[in-house]
């Protein structure tokens, strides 16, 4: 059993903070001494323009626009003043303001990042040019573990060059932390913030600092950030479609009564109980739940950078980034499962034959059931993520050449300890859709119960536990050589760059589950005897801080997770790992590339071209346990993991083009081929068996990547004072999408009965993920406008707008087996961001609105598209410079208290109504 100790975590954070505060004193003292010494001339020449953490929003926009203008290819950036000084709760929420970038929210918090509407796993992420480990089970990165205060710059590269590490079809997010020579001298920045959540009514602290100094050729920088977030979310959810074959194929009274009630109350005559093309079009509610969540998150992160820069021709740096993200989520559910295994239809009070008539579907809107499974669930998720990254980098320059090298490691470990205390009451009840969700009430049946106030009716079923451990390690080394040219015979050739990179990645996952049903190991003494009333109950408004349930005017009492952990986890309890859920995937990649830069004039128009190719050779070793059947009829596993190898190689060409049509207008174009590697769970070579279906399901280490051929063209108008107007069109043709398919047969498999006798010898089908034939297209338009209003009307000087808009189209359709048109899962047709800002020498104010259009988040029972509704959120920031060194700020997140909503097929069938409240923060920032 893994017990995550909050006291131990706080002690670890305190130790970090104390050591970092000591570092501040060292930097301050050494900086004071440095002020009395003469500054070497070389240091004066090599100092770059200072990036002030407390600088203005306008300045950050100007720097981001400069980065975009000077890049060959399509990219967008945010720099330190923008990342660390804008309303956000983590790095993901800071990134959502970049054109084409949207985020996935969970309980009101930004998590994963999507670029141009494609799923998050299509995005490749690096920190300081090293692929990022985050502890997720796949390849996507959980951005919420990174504190934005320790980040210096983020660039989203949308058109790759040959020198860029491959891995992202949607784009690559490159993150940089600060180094001492980013500043002209000593720098010390500290900030403190208190934040308040309107639903939880909790106030949370955040503290961060950065200390940097240079002493001639040497420099050092340390930064640190720690924060606690307490978010409460109330949710009426889980209200999905359930096909009527759930009852009609059950046989006996359940099936015959369901058919009779359909005919009597809705005039629906079922011709065949096993014809799913008909029964799959008769819909009832699967489940309705009222849920209250409390998320408590402790996040900390720190960086250390050491730099040696003896001249403009040579520098070497060592960067370290460490951190932790510890979260506890308490979830309290009062739910009603209409489709229980004991139930069937009793009375149909209301049905809808019109809304989905074009699909031949009938939806039962209001139904009484004979034996609904009412549930009281107390769930606890405790997660602990630790990450670390270490890297060294050098640059050595001659008169016409440059040598660059790096080597580093990125790793993460994550543990998730989950429990679910489950009490169940079977009784008649009535469930129906409401305007925003669903509800369950007493039915006319005398045996019906008030599900929220009948604790003695709920019988103990299980205290379910799971434990998951993920270990993610990535090593990399790279060497690049660039040679500049000035040929009279071929003046267009400016430089040639060649390089090689080697990466070694591995990910290991362990998982196990155990259900407790009595006071000791193996005991079932509590099963169906202990009731909810036998435990200490707490009203919902006391289980989670902030008062009454905010979604509906109801209340109920449940068992707290603290009580459940103390009461139901007996002495010596452990959650054992299951061999069938284990996998380990290792991946070695050797990449070679060559590219050239060209520059020439076409008449009066300067043209720049970067073109090249990248060769990628990938080897994969995957292992996992295979499920077998023992001679006594029980299910077991192979005594050791079974390994399999795979691999592929590929040449990835790319070309990027810019033409400076005028001093302020630039034409830009790009074309490339790129890839996204398969999900690790698909590569994992583990086998599960379905003995009754005569079927094996395997992973497939021989999966190839998903490839994309893509091109883009755009035009940009650069305005004074960091202004920009830009429009681009992009197209991606994506092939090799992964899907499950029958890949072979295992002959002569002996199948045993439960008593150990031989049932027979059979051929078993093998299903594996494969790369599907064919391709699909995703295309879109991006529009960007950064406009200081003072350019056009002097009285509006200081006011401006930063806006971007992305619209997408895709030829891919979903896989509804009853023919319901379904867009690709996760793809939103449009997204946009609008920020209105004002600033003068002392005062800054910004209002930002971020919107992501509706998208399909899943396909229920492979039939019905489940939509996440469009979501827009307004954030604000106001700051005032008390003097040159101290700034006071007030920030608000989701100030209009927007709700997250969803529906199945049509908005009149809502699936969720979820509210996480507003968040306000008051902060103080000091710059020395």
């Amino acid at each position: 059993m893994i017990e995550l100790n909050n006291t131990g975590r706080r002690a670890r954070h305190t130790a970090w903070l104390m050591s970092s505060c000591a570092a501040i004193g060292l930097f301050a003292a050494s900086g004071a001494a440095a002020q009395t010494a003469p500054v070497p001339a070389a240091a004066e020449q090599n100092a770059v323009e200072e990036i002030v953490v407390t600088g203005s929003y306008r300045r950050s926009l100007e720097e981001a626009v400069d980065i975009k203008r000077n890049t060959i290819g399509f990219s967008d950036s945010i720099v330190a003043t923008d990342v660390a000084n804008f309303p956000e709760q983590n790095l993901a929420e800071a990134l959502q303001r970049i054109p084409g970038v949207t985020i996935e929210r969970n309980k009101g918090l930004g998590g994963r990042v999507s670029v141009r509407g494609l799923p998050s796993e299509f995005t490749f992420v690096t920190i300081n040019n090293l692929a990022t480990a985050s502890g997720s089970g796949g390849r996507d990165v959980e951005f919420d573990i990174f504190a934005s205060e320790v980040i210096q710059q983020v660039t989203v590269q949308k058109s790759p060059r040959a020198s860029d590490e491959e891995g992202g079809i949607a784009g690559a997010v490159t993150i940089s932390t600060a180094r001492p020579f980013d500043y002209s001298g000593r720098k010390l920045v500290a900030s403190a913030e208190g934040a308040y959540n309107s639903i939880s009514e909790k106030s949370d602290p955040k503290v961060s600092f950065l200390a940097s100094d240079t002493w001639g050729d040497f420099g050092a920088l340390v930064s640190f950030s720690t924060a606690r977030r307490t978010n409460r979310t109330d949710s009426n959810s889980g209200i999905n479609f359930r096909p009527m074959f759930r009852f009609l194929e059950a046989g006996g009274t359940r099936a015959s009564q369901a058919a009779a009630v359909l005919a009597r109350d809705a005039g629906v005559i079922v011709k065949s109980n096993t014809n799913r093309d008909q029964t799959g079009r008769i819909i009832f509610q699967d489940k309705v739940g009222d849920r209250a969540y409390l998320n408590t998150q402790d996040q900390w992160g720190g960086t250390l950078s050491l730099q040696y820069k003896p001249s403009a021709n040579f520098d070497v740096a060592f960067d370290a980034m460490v951190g932790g993200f510890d979260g506890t989520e308490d979830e309290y559910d009062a739910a009603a499962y209409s489709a229980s295994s004991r139930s069937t239809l009793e009375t149909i009070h209301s049905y809808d034959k019109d809304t989905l008539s074009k699909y031949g579907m009938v939806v039962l809107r209001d139904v009484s059931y004979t034996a609904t499974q009412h549930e009281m669930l107390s769930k606890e998720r405790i997660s602990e993520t630790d990450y670390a990254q270490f890297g060294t980098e050098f640059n050595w320059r001659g008169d016409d050449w440059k040598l660059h090298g790096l080597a580093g490691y990125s790793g993460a470990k994550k543990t998730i300890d989950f429990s679910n205390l489950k009490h169940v009451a079977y009784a008649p009840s009535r469930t129906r859709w409401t305007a925003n969700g669903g509800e369950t009430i007493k039915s006319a049946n005398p045996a019906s119960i008030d599900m929220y106030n009948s604790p003695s009716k709920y019988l103990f079923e299980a205290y379910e536990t799971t434990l998951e451990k993920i270990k993610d390690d990535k090593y990399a080394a790279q060497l690049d050589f660039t040679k500049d040219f000035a040929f009279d015979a071929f003046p267009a050739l400016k430089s040639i760059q060649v390089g090689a990179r080697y990466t070694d990645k591995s990910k290991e996952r362990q998982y196990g589950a155990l259900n407790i049903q009595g006071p000791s190991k193996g005991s079932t003494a509590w099963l169906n005897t202990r009731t909810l009333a036998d435990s200490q109950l707490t009203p919902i408004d006391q289980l989670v801080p902030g008062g009454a349930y905010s979604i509906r005017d109801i209340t109920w009492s449940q068992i707290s997770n603290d009580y459940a952990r103390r009461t139901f986890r007996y002495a010596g309890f452990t959650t054992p790992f299951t061999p069938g859920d284990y996998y380990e995937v290792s991946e070695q990649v050797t990449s070679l590339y060559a590219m050239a830069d060209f520059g020439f004039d076409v008449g009066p128009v300067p043209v720049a071209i970067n073109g090249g190719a990248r060769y990628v050779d990938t080897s994969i070793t995957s292992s996992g346990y295979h499920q077998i059947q023992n001679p006594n009829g029980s299910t077991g596993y192979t005594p050791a993991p079974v390994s399999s190898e795979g691999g592929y190689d590929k040449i990835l060409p790319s070309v990027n083009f810019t033409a400076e049509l005028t001093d302020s207008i630039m034409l830009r174009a790009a074309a490339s081929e790129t890839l996204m590697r398969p999900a690790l769970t698909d590569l994992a070579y583990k086998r599960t068996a379905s003995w009754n279906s005569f079927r094996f399901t395997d992973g497939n280490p021989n999966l190839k990547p998903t490839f994309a051929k893509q091109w883009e063209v755009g035009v940009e108008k650069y305005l004074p004072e960091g202004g920009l107007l830009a429009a681009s069109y992009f197209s991606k043709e994506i092939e090799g999408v992964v899907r499950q398919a029958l890949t072979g047969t295992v002959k002569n498999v002996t199948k045993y009965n439960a008593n150990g006798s031989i049932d027979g010898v059979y051929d078993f089908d093998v299903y594996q993920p494969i790369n599907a034939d064919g391709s699909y297209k995703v295309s879109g338009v991006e529009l960007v406008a950064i406009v200081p209003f003072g350019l056009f009307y002097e009285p509006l000087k200081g006011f401006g707008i930063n806006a971007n808009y992305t619209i997408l189209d895709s030829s891919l359709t979903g896989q509804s087996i009853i023919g319901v048109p379904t867009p690709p899962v996760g793809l939103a047709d449009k997204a946009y961001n609008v920020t209105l800002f004002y600033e003068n020498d002392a005062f800054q104010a910004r209002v930002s609105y971020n919107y992501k259009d509706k998208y399909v988040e899943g396909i229920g029972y492979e039939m019905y598209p489940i939509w996440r509704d469009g979501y827009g959120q307004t954030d604000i920031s106001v700051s005032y410079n008390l003097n040159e060194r101290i700034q006071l700020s007030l920030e608000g997140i989701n100030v209009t208290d927007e709700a997250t909503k969803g529906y199945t097929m049509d908005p009149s069938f809502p699936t969720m109504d979820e509210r996480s409240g507003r968040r306000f923060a008051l902060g103080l920032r000091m710059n020395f």
Side-chain angles (χ1 to χ4, degrees):
M1 179 180 66
I2 300 294
E3 292 285 351
L4 302 183
N5 189 300
N6 287 326
T7 302
R9 290 199 295 261
R10 284 195 292 268
R12 182 178 62 183
H13 299 170
T14 302
W16 238 101
L17 186 58
M18 291 177 66
S19 63
S20 300
C21 288
I24 289 181
L26 289 174
F27 277 105
S30 59
Q35 286 179 323
T36 64
V39 179
E44 288 183 333
Q45 294 172 358
N46 296 335
V48 297
E49 182 182 1
E50 180 181 339
I51 301 175
V52 183
V53 177
T54 57
S56 72
Y57 178 67
R58 277 278 304 279
R59 181 174 179 179
S60 73
L61 289 179
E62 291 174 8
E63 290 173 357
V65 169
D66 286 344
I67 294 171
K68 181 179 183 70
R69 184 169 190 171
N70 295 325
T71 300
I72 299 179
F74 289 87
S75 70
D76 292 283
S77 302
I78 49 178
V79 297
T81 51
D82 194 11
V83 176
N85 196 25
F86 197 87
E88 31 50 33
Q89 299 176 88
N90 54 50
L91 182 57
E93 297 193 0
L95 288 173
Q96 68 181 326
R97 300 186 308 282
I98 294 180
V101 175
T102 55
I103 63 175
E104 297 177 10
R105 296 181 184 274
N106 182 30
K107 313 298 185 305
L109 295 172
R112 292 176 170 86
V113 169
S114 300
V115 176
R116 290 180 164 172
L118 294 169
S120 58
E121 58 267 24
F122 281 46
T123 302
F124 184 67
V125 182
T126 64
I127 297 180
N128 295 334
N129 208 21
L130 295 173
T132 305
S134 74
S136 72
R139 294 186 185 271
D140 52 337
V141 172
E142 297 173 328
F143 280 83
D144 53 1
I145 73 173
F146 300 117
S148 62
E149 285 80 4
V150 301
I151 304 301
Q152 179 75 359
Q153 177 181 311
V154 182
T155 295
V156 177
Q157 190 72 34
K158 299 171 182 176
S159 61
R161 301 171 302 165
S163 59
D164 296 330
E165 188 176 2
E166 70 290 339
I169 285 178
V173 177
T174 60
I175 302 169
S176 301
T177 58
R179 287 177 174 168
F181 282 97
D182 290 340
Y183 305 94
S184 59
R186 179 167 58 91
K187 174 62 59 178
L188 179 60
V189 180
S191 67
E193 177 184 287
Y196 173 82
N197 178 262
S198 65
I199 295 185
S200 70
E201 298 181 356
K202 285 282 188 177
S203 296
D204 299 319
K206 177 193 286 188
V207 178
S208 64
F209 73 80
L210 179 147
S212 177
D213 206 351
T214 57
W215 306 272
D217 300 339
F218 293 92
L221 178 148
V222 62
S223 70
F224 179 80
S225 175
T226 182
R228 166 163 285 198
R229 291 192 296 265
T230 307
N231 278 30
R232 172 177 164 182
T233 299
D234 292 352
S235 177
N236 178 230
S237 57
I239 312 151
N240 295 319
F241 279 15
R242 191 66 184 255
M244 187 53 65
F245 55 71
R246 168 65 173 172
F247 294 151
L248 294 174
E249 293 181 1
T253 302
R254 291 179 67 206
S256 60
Q257 181 166 328
V261 172
L262 283 167
R264 181 195 70 200
D265 294 343
V268 175
I269 307 300
V270 178
K271 298 179 180 179
S272 170
N273 285 13
T274 59
N275 179 6
R276 291 196 170 187
D277 188 57
Q278 181 191 15
T279 60
R281 299 175 194 272
I282 307 170
I283 306 302
F284 67 101
Q285 280 187 25
D286 186 32
K287 192 174 187 177
V288 174
D290 288 290
R291 301 174 168 92
Y293 300 86
L294 179 66
N295 277 281
T296 303
Q297 301 176 350
D298 290 307
Q299 177 194 73
W300 69 278
T303 66
L304 170 69
S305 181
L306 304 175
Q307 245 182 318
Y308 175 58
K309 193 173 184 180
S311 70
N313 295 329
F314 181 77
D315 66 88
V316 62
F318 170 78
D319 298 302
M321 181 177 181
V322 295
F325 182 83
D326 304 329
T328 299
E329 181 181 86
D330 294 296
E331 176 185 344
Y332 298 103
D333 293 7
Y337 182 39
S338 307
S340 81
S341 59
R342 303 183 186 182
S343 191
T344 191
L345 305 182
E346 187 171 74
T347 304
I348 300 171
H349 303 281
S350 173
Y351 60 91
D352 183 342
K353 289 185 176 181
D354 300 322
T355 303
L356 302 177
S357 60
K358 62 181 176 181
Y359 306 116
M361 295 175 65
V362 178
V363 182
L364 310 183
R365 286 189 173 271
D366 184 353
V367 179
S368 289
Y369 301 90
T370 60
T372 295
Q373 180 178 321
H374 305 87
E375 300 172 342
M376 287 289 176
L377 309 175
S378 298
K379 300 179 181 180
E380 183 181 42
R381 297 175 180 86
I382 302 177
S383 65
E384 178 179 332
T385 303
D386 291 300
Y387 68 89
Q389 180 169 306
F390 308 99
T392 185
E393 181 178 11
F394 76 87
N395 293 283
W396 186 16
R397 305 167 186 84
D399 292 338
D400 59 3
W401 57 270
K402 177 182 176 182
L403 187 65
H404 168 262
L406 68 87
Y409 162 81
S410 178
K413 295 180 179 179
K414 184 173 186 176
T415 301
I416 305 171
D417 182 0
F418 170 79
S419 61
N420 176 25
L421 177 59
K422 187 175 182 179
H423 287 78
V424 175
Y426 290 92
S429 67
R430 180 176 176 179
T431 298
R432 59 195 179 192
W433 266 281
T434 63
N436 296 312
E439 65 177 0
T440 297
I441 60 175
K442 290 182 68 174
S443 71
N445 191 311
S448 186
I449 64 171
D450 177 356
M451 63 172 285
Y452 298 97
N453 295 288
S454 303
S456 62
K457 301 292 186 180
Y458 284 84
L459 297 177
F460 175 92
E461 184 170 292
Y463 181 74
E464 304 168 343
T465 69
T466 66
L467 182 64
E468 182 176 15
K469 284 187 175 182
I470 298 169
K471 186 173 183 290
D472 188 1
D473 295 300
K474 300 180 180 180
Y475 299 86
Q478 180 168 323
L479 189 65
D480 309 281
F481 179 76
T482 303
K483 181 72 168 66
D484 298 329
F485 293 97
F487 291 135
D488 293 337
F490 189 18
L493 178 62
K494 302 303 181 183
S495 68
I496 291 178
Q497 183 175 332
V498 295
R501 186 181 184 100
Y502 177 77
T503 61
D504 188 336
K505 308 173 185 178
S506 66
K507 183 161 289 193
E508 182 182 41
R509 188 244 193 183
Q510 295 175 293
Y511 180 88
L514 182 70
N515 290 348
I516 297 173
Q517 295 183 318
S520 60
K521 184 177 181 179
S523 171
T524 58
W526 291 334
L527 180 62
N528 294 328
T529 58
R530 185 183 178 109
T531 72
L532 188 67
D534 293 329
S535 295
Q536 177 183 308
L537 300 180
T538 305
I540 193 66
D541 59 353
Q542 298 176 29
L543 279 173
V544 288
Y549 183 59
S550 62
I551 300 293
R552 301 198 294 137
D553 186 18
I554 58 173
T555 187
W556 69 94
S557 295
Q558 283 189 235
I559 299 170
S560 73
N561 284 318
D562 179 66
Y563 176 91
R565 179 175 282 268
R566 288 185 285 105
T567 303
F568 297 101
R569 295 198 177 200
Y570 50 78
F573 159 80
T574 59
T575 300
F577 289 122
T578 305
D581 291 309
Y582 170 87
Y583 68 76
E584 182 177 18
V585 178
S586 63
E587 182 179 80
Q588 293 79 39
V589 180
T590 301
S591 303
L592 306 172
Y593 76 89
M595 69 181 190
D597 285 296
F598 302 89
F600 52 89
D601 294 337
V602 178
V605 177
V607 174
I609 297 176
N610 172 274
R614 187 176 186 88
Y615 171 74
V616 179
D617 184 33
T618 304
S619 299
I620 297 167
T621 302
S622 176
S623 61
Y625 291 88
H626 283 206
Q627 201 170 20
I628 60 175
Q629 195 175 32
N630 299 317
N632 64 1
S634 64
T635 297
Y637 297 93
T638 54
V642 180
S643 296
S644 182
E645 296 183 351
Y648 51 85
D649 59 0
K650 183 71 174 178
I651 295 177
L652 304 172
S654 63
V655 61
N656 292 276
F657 162 93
T658 61
E660 198 168 343
L661 302 180
T662 70
D663 289 342
S664 62
I665 298 178
M666 184 172 290
L667 177 67
R668 200 181 294 271
S672 62
E673 186 170 357
T674 186
L675 61 81
M676 179 195 72
R677 292 190 166 87
L680 297 174
T681 50
D682 290 332
L683 291 172
Y685 193 58
K686 58 178 184 174
R687 169 172 289 178
T688 57
S690 177
W691 302 107
N692 292 328
S693 300
F694 308 102
R695 173 173 173 166
F696 291 135
T697 302
D698 291 0
N700 185 2
N702 285 301
L703 273 177
K704 301 299 184 285
T706 298
F707 294 101
K709 297 176 181 178
Q710 56 190 28
W711 61 271
E712 185 166 0
V713 62
V715 63
E716 299 160 0
K717 168 68 174 177
Y718 290 88
L719 307 174
E721 301 181 24
L724 172 68
L725 299 174
S728 64
Y729 175 85
F730 61 88
S731 177
K732 299 175 184 286
E733 183 178 355
I734 301 173
E735 62 181 17
V737 176
V738 176
R739 65 174 179 84
Q740 290 286 330
L742 175 65
T743 59
T745 302
V746 178
K747 301 286 187 179
N748 303 321
V749 177
T750 301
K751 179 177 179 292
Y752 296 90
N753 295 313
N755 60 8
S757 62
I758 295 178
D759 178 81
V761 178
Y762 303 95
D763 294 343
F764 273 54
D765 292 333
V766 178
Y767 283 80
Q768 290 177 287
I770 65 165
N771 298 104
D773 295 332
S775 62
Y776 71 96
K777 291 184 178 180
V778 174
S779 60
V781 173
E782 277 186 3
L783 304 174
V784 179
I786 302 174
V787 181
F789 294 155
L791 293 177
F792 308 103
Y793 187 51
E794 183 64 24
L796 292 180
K797 188 173 181 62
F799 289 93
I801 186 171
N802 176 14
N804 58 77
Y805 180 87
T806 304
I807 185 168
L808 299 169
D809 186 33
S810 172
S811 64
L812 181 68
T813 58
Q815 302 297 315
S816 171
I817 59 177
I818 60 172
V820 177
T822 307
V825 172
L827 186 65
D829 288 342
K830 61 185 177 185
Y832 58 86
N833 300 276
V834 179
T835 298
L836 297 172
F837 61 87
Y838 170 77
E839 65 178 54
N840 56 32
D841 292 339
F843 179 76
Q844 300 181 55
R846 300 191 295 279
V847 178
S848 178
Y849 183 76
N850 174 266
Y851 179 81
K852 182 178 181 180
D853 201 13
K854 65 180 182 180
Y855 62 92
V856 173
E857 60 179 348
I859 304 176
Y861 297 94
E862 301 180 307
M863 298 180 182
Y864 324 111
I866 302 170
W867 292 83
R868 177 68 65 92
D869 215 347
Y871 179 85
Q873 179 171 301
T874 301
D875 303 326
I876 63 170
S877 175
V878 178
S879 62
Y880 180 73
N881 298 329
L882 299 177
N883 55 43
E884 292 182 353
R885 300 190 180 280
I886 301 177
Q887 181 186 80
L888 187 67
S889 64
L890 175 65
E891 300 176 344
I893 295 174
N894 191 25
V895 294
T896 56
D897 197 17
E898 298 298 320
T900 301
K901 295 178 178 291
Y903 59 89
T904 304
M905 295 188 65
D906 186 89
S908 65
F909 306 113
T911 60
M912 66 182 303
D913 182 4
E914 185 174 282
R915 301 174 188 271
S916 297
R918 306 174 178 90
R919 189 174 181 87
F920 298 97
L922 181 65
L924 182 68
R925 185 178 294 257
M926 296 167 288
N927 177 24
F928 299 96

